[in-house]
Amino acid sequence: MSWIPDRYRELRAMVGGVTPERDVSDEMAHHVAMRTAENVARGMSPEAARAEALARLGDAAAYEREAEAIDVLAARGQRRIEVRDALGREVRLAVRGLGRAPGFSLVVLATLALGIGAATAIFTLLDSVVLRPLPYPNENRLVWIESEVSGASQGPWGVSEAGYFYYKAHAHTLDALGAFFSSDATVITPDGAQALPAMFATASVFDVLGLRTILGRPLRASDDQPGEGTAVVLSHKYWMRAFHGDSTVVGRTIRLNDGLRTVVGVLGPGEEPPMRSVDLWLTLNLDPADPPINDHHYSAIGRLAPGVHAAAAQRELAALTARFPDDLPAAYSAAFMRAYHFTPGVLSLRDRVVGDAARGIWIVLAAALLLLVIACANVGNLFLVRLEARRRDVTIRVAIGAGTSHLAWHYLTESLLLCLAAGGAGLLLADAAIRALLALAPSTLPRLTEVHLGWQSAACAVALAAAAGLVFGCLPLVRRTVDVDTLRDGSRGLTASPVRRVARGALVIVQTALALVLFAASGLMVRSLLHLRDVRPGFDPHGVITLDAAPSSAHGGSYDQAAAFWHAVIDRVRALPEVQSAGAISLLPIGGGGTCATLFIEAHPLAPGEDPPCIARPLVTPGYFETMRIPLRGRAPTWDEVQGHDAGVVVSGPLAARRWPNEEAIGQGLGAGNRPPFFHVVGIAGPVRTEGLDHPPTEVVYYPIVPIPGTGVWGPGRSFTLVARARTGDAAALVQQIRRVLRDVDPEAPVANVETMDEVVAHSMARTTFMMLLLGVAAAMALVLSVVGMYGVVSYLVGQRRGEMGIRLALGASGRQVTRLVVWESARLAAAGVFIGLAGAVATTHVMRSLLFDVSPTDPVTLGAVAAVLLAMAVAAAWLPARRASRVDPVEALRAG
């Protein structure tokens, strides 16, 4: 606070004395000068300021208080100077001390950086995906609306067109409501047709989500009227990719397969719909005057009215839905409502977007924190070892007058300096880890585009580093007594105290226990993945190429046109020399999603009150079962039957076994309606896991792409996935030839999502593989740290007991006995850690139940294997220093001791 006397001198010179009429002390003159300057700073003239200061002199009590305040400020300033000087001095001493022990410093830096980096990377993933609000205004008021039904094996339905208009007109708990569905739109350019991800939405979706444009305008209600549909809004990414950021794009037209669209706006960066990135925004053009249809393929997002909660909206929509049979009887009969227990579901948009990904990320974060604790235990052992080596130096400091505060400053400065440096290095490692995570993460993980290293990540790394620094800095203060023996000659005073030996052993036990918990979690994920790989999906994916294609409106506007297109394409693809067989399906197995339809069996009418099942209903072409090598009893429909509108259906084995347990399924009639005409079963396909390898085989009805007249429950089959099997097994080599075939048949037919069937199967296991990878990396690092920690502690203990080993050898003990002694003591520590770790694994791995497949969270084989591996590696880590101890020269050891 050196500015006080300097400022007094300046002020006294400015004031020029206090007053000739009054004789005051020098201290009072300083006071008047200070008060005068403060008054001038408040805007008073110098004369008025001095007069006010002199008037205050008459108040002795006020003067005393202000004088004391000035003294306090001066004292505080002096203390700040002392603290700043002491801090600078301790930082310089800490830097020199750490520089003299580069091995210790580098090991601590690397170990902590590894733990902090892993924890920061996973925290960043958790924060971006789960904790951070969605990037929409009023995101806490946004809700996802769906239809919950019984018997729908493939999850809840969306909302119908009639239901959307009914909710919009009558729901008072919703401030706004929008409907949409995502699909591909075909853009026609001079280079050919291209399928782009598109969002077909009501104009109200822009208002609900608060989407903003940087050029032009969003979709308006006038664009969304029936019969319109000529406007399109571009995403920022597509605008940059296709138009190179041209600001004159608004007003231009782009050609889609169903006509020209005028660009009316460009969205800003990051303005995306939930769950899927799209390139084009197109209008739905729904008509409230259309007859209501019981078809629920629209998604709906609502914005709650201010002060309304999702539960209140759920109650209101449930009451409105109960009125459907009275107000919308053509689509919702009372029998349908009872049979399907049809009711709306309202949940927060964030819960719908994040889904079940949160549990997996929380588990991985817990694993990363366990890894950080293991790293800290390792570093704690290093600090304890370093403390033992510096006991003589510390004792000298205390003996010459250093107090606890001085020691605390020294230790805290050194540990904080080292840990904060490790935090900075950990932040760099976290950035690299996040890049790797984004490259390896499955596409089904939500909000991946929002994951990046931000200030929250930096704060996490700094907080972890500071906490570790405080803990390590306080370790030396636990035992503050001065051991004068360390000042005597000889080294016996350097032997570690029993308390610190116990502390080091406890840290080794903690490391081993936590490493086993991580190792067990990783082992369970490995076993799950191995079980998934052993699952037979019901088809042969090897050598099959898949791609999505759709005819243009000129070649697929009707059932007959669509059938002719696919017949021509499949025949030409099959004629290629490298192709063995080809076919098409509306939804690939393993891909998930899809729709189901009611199933009525001609010979077995439903009993009163019985619910009709909702069964998966993919559309297939001839050649599909042969290409996928799905076993088939009976036969598949032929192209003549398909194009003659007289094709039968193929049912899956599980469906046939359940619906016709004691009779032949082939020849039976079935359909999506409860009255004739019915399709007839012509074949029974083998069981296929259509919903994923971790789901049982599904009951399926494979319908032809052209229905029997009077039974149509779908539109013309346009967008299909073509499957082709290569003769040589190199399926990827067929892509260019298949593209040429599609261009020859229909130049405007787009191609998208080109993958081998092996890749499709791998994607179905992507989340399990990703979790296994993350937990496996954490377990591997934990195992290495634990083994290194065990090796370090045993090596140090062997060095401390060098004299004891020499005496044992001098008295006739063999090297094998000394080795066995050291290894046994180390094995006891490892066994204690393994025992505690097994108890911890049994208590905690149950949270992974939803992530596992065909393996129990307490699987004894996995737990036993990881315990044995960890125990063996701990013993191996102790064997090297034990072997070194057995070769100690007794004479040298006794002389050194």
Side-chain angles (χ1 to χ4, degrees), residues 348-386:
S348 73
L349 182 60
R350 187 196 296 190
D351 290 344
R352 179 62 176 82
V353 170
V354 174
D356 60 354
R359 174 181 290 270
I361 299 176
W362 277 111
I363 290 174
V364 176
L365 178 63
L369 292 177
L370 288 181
L371 177 64
L372 178 60
V373 173
I374 293 172
C376 289
N378 217 332
V379 171
N381 253 326
L382 291 174
F383 268 90
L384 288 176
V385 170
R386 177 172 166 82

Side-chain angles (χ1 to χ4, degrees), residues 41 47 113 203 262 333 413 462 497 603 657 685 765 787 808 817 820 875:
E47 293 76 14
T262 302
S333 65
T413 302
V462 171
S497 67
M765 300 185 293
V787 170
R808 289 179 179 272
Q817 290 174 319
R820 188 163 53 246
V875 170

Side-chain angles (χ1 to χ4, degrees), residues 17 65 102 107 126 143 158-159 257 278 377 548 595 640 652 687 729 741 784 870 887:
R65 287 194 299 271
V107 171
L126 177 73
V143 292
V159 298
N257 60 344
V278 299
D548 295 343
T595 58
D640 288 341
S652 65
V741 167
V784 170
L870 192 57
R887 297 177 178 177

Side-chain angles (χ1 to χ4, degrees), residues 313-581:
Q314 170 77 48
R315 290 191 296 269
E316 183 187 35
L317 294 189
L320 293 175
T321 303
R323 290 157 48 183
F324 279 8
D326 296 329
D327 295 346
L328 305 171
Y332 298 94
S333 65
F336 167 82
M337 302 292 286
R338 288 194 304 270
Y340 282 88
H341 306 288
F342 188 84
T343 184
V346 179
L347 65 159
S348 73
L349 182 60
R350 187 196 296 190
D351 290 344
R352 179 62 176 82
V353 170
V354 174
D356 60 354
R359 174 181 290 270
I361 299 176
W362 277 111
I363 290 174
V364 176
L365 178 63
L369 292 177
L370 288 181
L371 177 64
L372 178 60
V373 173
I374 293 172
C376 289
N378 217 332
V379 171
N381 253 326
L382 291 174
F383 268 90
L384 288 176
V385 170
R386 177 172 166 82
L387 181 62
E388 295 296 341
R390 300 173 65 190
R391 283 178 62 192
R392 183 184 297 275
D393 173 61
V394 173
T395 304
I396 293 174
R397 281 174 174 251
V398 174
I400 63 177
T404 301
S405 61
H406 292 87
L407 293 178
W409 271 113
H410 177 70
Y411 290 128
L412 284 173
T413 302
E414 186 176 78
S415 63
L416 283 172
L417 187 66
L418 190 55
C419 292
L420 289 175
L427 203 57
L428 296 178
L429 290 178
D431 184 52
I434 289 171
R435 297 177 190 274
L437 287 176
L438 294 179
L440 297 172
S443 58
T444 55
L445 195 66
R447 307 182 70 181
L448 283 180
T449 56
E450 301 177 38
V451 179
H452 64 277
L453 208 67
W455 68 265
Q456 298 94 336
S457 306
C460 174
V462 171
L464 292 175
L470 289 173
V471 171
F472 298 142
C474 292
L475 281 178
L477 304 178
V478 175
R479 184 174 182 267
R480 295 173 293 178
T481 58
V482 178
D483 188 358
V484 182
D485 289 340
T486 58
L487 299 179
R488 298 173 182 171
D489 293 335
S491 58
R492 293 188 183 272
L494 295 178
T495 302
S497 67
V499 173
R500 285 176 180 153
R501 284 200 298 270
V502 170
R504 282 198 295 270
L507 289 175
V508 169
I509 292 174
V510 169
Q511 282 182 294
T512 307
L514 296 181
L516 190 138
V517 173
L518 283 180
F519 206 17
S522 176
L524 291 172
M525 293 303 301
V526 169
R527 291 207 68 191
S528 291
L529 186 62
L530 292 177
H531 288 166
L532 278 176
R533 291 186 182 277
D534 290 338
V535 170
R536 297 179 63 85
F539 54 87
D540 180 9
H542 307 302
V544 176
I545 190 69
T546 74
L547 55 87
D548 295 343
S552 63
S553 56
H555 290 79
S558 66
Y559 288 112
D560 290 335
Q561 287 179 319
F565 169 83
W566 285 110
H567 191 186
V569 168
I570 290 171
D571 279 354
R572 294 194 186 191
V573 169
R574 189 165 186 166
L576 296 174
E578 295 85 358
V579 174
Q580 182 178 352
S581 59

Side-chain angles (χ1 to χ4, degrees), residues 624-694:
Y624 170 76
F625 297 103
E626 175 189 357
T627 303
M628 298 295 286
R629 292 181 179 170
I630 298 174
L632 187 65
R633 185 167 67 85
R635 65 179 182 86
T638 65
W639 275 114
D640 288 341
E641 292 172 333
V642 169
Q643 293 177 309
H645 300 192
D646 194 27
V649 298
V650 174
V651 299
S652 65
L655 177 63
R658 191 160 76 92
R659 297 296 169 181
W660 299 280
N662 301 314
E663 53 187 319
E664 176 58 63
I666 294 178
Q668 298 285 345
L670 57 81
N674 61 353
R675 60 178 62 90
F678 290 98
F679 291 91
H680 287 87
V681 178
V682 296
I684 300 175
V688 176
R689 298 176 183 265
T690 60
E691 296 183 20
L693 294 179
D694 55 346

